[in-house]
Amino acid sequence: MSITYLEAIREAQFEALQQNPNVFLYGQDISTFGGAFKATKNLSREFPGRVFDSPISEDAMIGMAVGAAIEGARPIVEMQFADFSSVGFNQIVNQAATLFWRTNTPCPITIRLPSGGTPGSGPFHSQSMESIYAHYPGLVILTPATVEDAYWMLLESVEINDPVIFCEHKFLYYHLKSEDFGEAMPIGKARIARPGRDATIVTYSAMLHESLKAAEELRLDGYEVEVVDLRSVKPMDTDTILASVARTGRLLAVGESFPWGGVTAEIVARVSSEAFHLLDAPPMRLNSKDTPIPYHPNLWKSHRPTTGHISAALRDLLRY
Amino acid sequence: MLSARAAGSVFISISTVSVAESSLPCSSAVEAELREDFLKTLQCMMLSRTLEEKLGSLYRAGGRIVGGVYLGRGQEAFSAAAGIHLRWEKDVYGPLIRDQAGRIAYGEPILDTMRTYLGVVTGPMRGRDGNIHRGQPQKGYMAMISHLGSLVSVVSGALFARRLLGTLGDTVGATSIGDGGTSTGAFHEAINMAAVEKLPLVVSVANNQFAYSTPTTRQYACENLVDRAIGYGIDGHSVDGTDLLACLKVFRTAFQRARAGHGPQMVVGRLLRLGGHGEHDDASYIPDVKKHEHEGRDCLIVAQQQALDLGWATKVELDEWLKNARREVDKAQAQASKEPTPDPYRESWQALSTQRLAEGMGQ
């Protein structure tokens, strides 16, 4: 058996619906049609009356999920593309994220964001929103990079009594395959995806795979690069990051979102302030370019970090 | 009932129903019920006005109220006429800025209002949020955020979930908006969604003619806000928001229709905000002529006169109710004033309910 990252997301939703009668799905085209990416394929047939097509109203969709969660339901909302969640931004950061703190009422909603770039998708179907949402208190931000994590973390998201922003990467939907779902790892713990001693890459989501390829390239030059997969960017497993930097003395943070601020800046800030004495070189970070995401693959490949960019950055880091 | 569907684009205002004309209803049982609702609502209005006058004077005196004070003066009849049709801890209510009277009619103790304005930890918001941003969502009483229109989908979601989980029964949801709030995308999205789902939702639109300082001519270009109901495919009702008797009749119909499965009901009340946006605002932009128009009538005075004219209350009773209201407000103030304000050293500084996922960066 071989399962893709996308199938894992469907299976997790199947399992969530199966396990808990309070779970329902809400999103554009997700019912009979099965979703723009087929992440909810057949679920409306398997769970009649629990998978709903929504109007094109991201604001109302999130507000509705918040109200439903208050009443004890556990909605999973699909944003058709992460980019469109900006229309529901107010409801996410001001309604959902503040609810528990303001009123002591838990807000168990899961918002799925099909995230990140794919060739030809252009400025409005390619965005990575984790950095924006991580800025706000009251949200959990998950960024699975593997089939196993896509499955287990989505399933766990539904059990969490707080709003979860589930950033699933579209580039991994079909490319990434696994034999089975393996073992669940707790949310909030980072994973050493590849051990090493000369430098540490801290990354997440699709950038994990570019980073692993870069680490493999550097191996040919005799370097052993450690790669840390954050899994969740918020909470961020600072302990695992610091322990890795303690071993290697060098840090490169890699993310696909825009360069100003954000997750990679947070990683560098934490390492610089908490482990400055462990560093043998200035910490580095690599993000996409500071422009909207281009349409043509020639431009797109240069816009986001790829194996080549990461290898070059690693060489600079190791040369210091 | 003025169904927008039935009435087409013809706007039928019942604002012309004067006190004299609002003659006794046909059946005596109906009349008795209306009389009971009327007197209950009137007392809520009196309590609301008394409470808000106290809040206003505390604000002007300075030092005790934290943040601003936002009053519903002139909107009590419209607000409370909706609230009286809701059952505390049963129905879902998402009130807005000028709904103190509706909150009282719904069943919120005024002690919670006082506690929230004073920011004490015993209040439902525990000093974490204040004034009108209060509620107890677990009881179906939603706590508004400042972003207008965004509560409509939350109330709708609660109703949607109840239907899904089989807990809806005969419960209903209600929320409020003003003329300004109807211009938001959130309002449009949510009303449309509620209409698609045919939810038992009553939306009160208090057209008080000014959104902060902006007059309705700069807010919308349609002739009457209630006409929008046609576009959403929902029932629309219009009422003179200064006339309690008329408001009660219209809301009774709207709530009956919502509970009976006829989908969302939009009730537009025409009135005037008798004050500033908040107590910091002298509302000098409201022309004097507006205050002398029909909509500028004080609904509380109108309602009291209606009670006397209909023989439903005597002057002595009205005086007694006012005295009771004052006593209740003083008691709430005295109680809340001696309760503790929040202590930053005892605050958890955790925004998540899931402790193990909290980052603990509060420092």
Side-chain angles (χ1 to χ4, degrees), chain B residues 83-139:
Chain B
I84 205 77
H85 289 96
L86 293 162
R87 297 160 300 175
W88 179 250
E89 292 191 54
K90 280 203 181 98
D91 294 314
V92 183
Y93 187 34
L96 213 66
I97 307 165
R98 305 191 197 289
D99 279 323
Q100 179 57 51
R103 292 172 191 259
I104 290 173
Y106 176 49
E108 186 196 39
I110 63 164
L111 184 56
D112 281 352
T113 312
M114 199 53 94
R115 283 169 162 166
T116 308
Y117 267 103
L118 299 185
V120 292
V121 289
T122 43
M125 308 312 281
R126 302 160 293 159
R128 291 181 174 187
D129 206 342
N131 49 61
I132 50 189
H133 303 106
R134 65 179 190 278
Q136 298 177 65
Q138 281 153 323
K139 294 181 175 171

Side-chain angles (χ1 to χ4, degrees), chain B residues 284-298:
Chain B
S284 52
Y285 45 81
I286 299 182
D288 274 346
V289 60
K290 281 259 175 220
K291 297 171 190 164
H292 297 110
E293 284 173 1
H294 182 84
E295 289 80 10
R297 302 194 300 172
D298 183 340

Side-chain angles (χ1 to χ4, degrees), chain B residues 64-350:
Chain B
R64 199 59 189 88
I65 295 246
V66 181
V69 166
Y70 304 87
L71 305 183
R73 194 183 298 121
Q75 305 194 188
E76 290 97 336
F78 187 65
S79 174
I84 205 77
H85 289 96
L86 293 162
R87 297 160 300 175
W88 179 250
E89 292 191 54
K90 280 203 181 98
D91 294 314
V92 183
Y93 187 34
L96 213 66
I97 307 165
R98 305 191 197 289
D99 279 323
Q100 179 57 51
R103 292 172 191 259
I104 290 173
Y106 176 49
E108 186 196 39
I110 63 164
L111 184 56
D112 281 352
T113 312
M114 199 53 94
R115 283 169 162 166
T116 308
Y117 267 103
L118 299 185
V120 292
V121 289
T122 43
M125 308 312 281
R126 302 160 293 159
R128 291 181 174 187
D129 206 342
N131 49 61
I132 50 189
H133 303 106
R134 65 179 190 278
Q136 298 177 65
Q138 281 153 323
K139 294 181 175 171
Y141 179 31
M142 304 307 179
M144 61 170 280
I145 64 169
S146 302
H147 304 65
L148 297 175
S150 62
L151 203 53
V152 183
S153 55
V154 176
V155 172
S156 301
L159 299 171
F160 182 91
R162 286 181 178 194
R163 191 166 64 192
L164 187 72
L165 305 177
T167 56
L168 185 62
D170 68 344
T171 63
V172 71
T175 189
S176 307
I177 199 82
D179 41 288
T182 63
S183 304
T184 64
F187 177 76
H188 166 74
E189 285 193 10
I191 295 278
N192 178 64
M193 181 186 71
V196 166
E197 293 295 342
K198 227 167 189 271
L199 295 170
L201 175 73
V202 176
V203 179
S204 304
V205 182
N207 185 355
N208 68 14
Q209 306 185 56
F210 290 88
Y212 205 146
S213 75
T214 304
T216 48
T217 50
R218 301 296 304 165
Q219 200 64 245
Y220 58 84
C222 58
E223 201 179 330
N224 292 297
L225 282 178
V226 74
D227 295 344
R228 292 193 182 174
I230 302 161
Y232 292 118
I234 62 175
D235 289 346
H237 314 254
S238 272
V239 68
D240 174 357
T242 66
D243 181 338
L244 175 59
L245 199 59
C247 289
L248 280 170
K249 287 176 180 169
V250 167
F251 275 112
R252 165 175 297 202
T253 305
F255 277 94
Q256 275 170 354
R257 287 187 61 77
R259 288 187 207 274
H262 297 288
Q265 309 285 312
M266 179 188 285
V267 183
V268 181
R270 191 161 169 80
L271 40 86
L272 180 69
R273 193 185 70 210
L274 301 183
H277 168 57
E279 285 305 275
H280 57 277
D281 171 23
D282 67 3
S284 52
Y285 45 81
I286 299 182
D288 274 346
V289 60
K290 281 259 175 220
K291 297 171 190 164
H292 297 110
E293 284 173 1
H294 182 84
E295 289 80 10
R297 302 194 300 172
D298 183 340
C299 63
L300 185 56
I301 295 173
V302 174
Q304 288 174 332
Q305 192 58 50
Q306 282 176 335
L308 295 173
D309 290 352
L310 289 162
W312 285 354
T314 63
K315 185 82 180 60
V316 175
E317 282 171 317
L318 291 178
D319 288 346
E320 188 58 33
W321 295 340
L322 185 60
K323 254 186 263 167
N324 287 346
R326 286 186 181 139
R327 231 185 342 257
E328 240 187 282
V329 169
D330 288 344
K331 198 173 139 208
Q333 189 199 348
Q335 170 73 31
S337 295
K338 63 183 182 210
E339 291 175 343
T341 50
D343 177 355
Y345 297 100
R346 299 180 72 169
E347 167 64 50
S348 73
W349 298 113
Q350 299 287 2

